[in-house]
Amino acid sequence: MGDRVCVDLCSIMRPGEGLLVGSYARGMFLVHSECLETSYIASRPFRVNAGPVHAYVTVPGDKTSYLSELRSGREVIVVDQNGLWRTLIVGRVKIESRPLILVEAKENSGSGTYSIFLQNAETVALITPEKGSGGRTAIPVTSLKVGDGVLVRKQGAARHTGIEIQEFIVEK
């Protein structure tokens, strides 16, 4: 269990769009919006069930913010499966205790390992590099298996107050 953050935006997201979120700023997972219909809940194309309060999210200015620091009126970066991005405004942030699952990803061509906790729910999905009908597909975290590919943005390792810095840092 943990305190997870839903980020409700003032605009509609499209399939393949979401927020870049990670337990460490060096590797940000593309967490899909709730724009897809499921048998569990109606589509909420303005929402991303983004992760726990400690996680980083990308914001304008090549910065990150903790999910817990987001408020109504703040801006976040929404990214699609092709890497195109736009800036949207946060309308509401909702924090609730929910069961979490740890997702870890390893680089195909390197030694980097990245992780994120997400709510263990069918409506929470990551974008995969596999081509499906209409492009890349989202896979619910409840369906992830070892060896499944997900999209992760690799970036600089060290950050202080959300700004990338050149400094020795160890995060585990």
Side-chain angles (χ1 to χ4, degrees), residues 67-160:
L67 284 172
S68 61
E69 293 176 343
L70 292 180
R71 304 275 184 273
S72 295
R74 289 271 323 256
E75 292 181 326
V76 293
I77 302 295
V78 170
V79 181
D80 75 9
Q81 70 271 23
N82 298 311
L84 299 175
W85 61 273
R86 58 190 176 128
T87 301
L88 295 181
I89 298 170
V90 174
R92 170 182 54 218
V93 174
K94 186 168 73 164
I95 301 173
E96 300 170 308
S97 292
R98 294 289 185 264
L100 302 177
I101 185 170
L102 176 63
V103 177
E104 294 181 309
K106 291 185 179 183
E107 284 185 58
N108 285 337
S109 59
S111 60
T113 300
Y114 310 102
S115 66
I116 186 173
F117 280 94
L118 293 166
Q119 182 179 338
N120 191 10
E122 296 80 4
T123 56
V124 180
L126 295 171
I127 302 295
T128 70
E130 304 303 318
K131 298 260 186 222
S133 61
R136 294 187 171 113
T137 58
I139 184 169
V141 296
T142 54
S143 300
L144 280 173
K145 297 181 284 315
V146 172
D148 285 342
V150 296
L151 294 179
V152 177
R153 179 181 182 220
K154 181 180 173 181
Q155 51 191 27
R159 290 201 172 242
H160 180 68

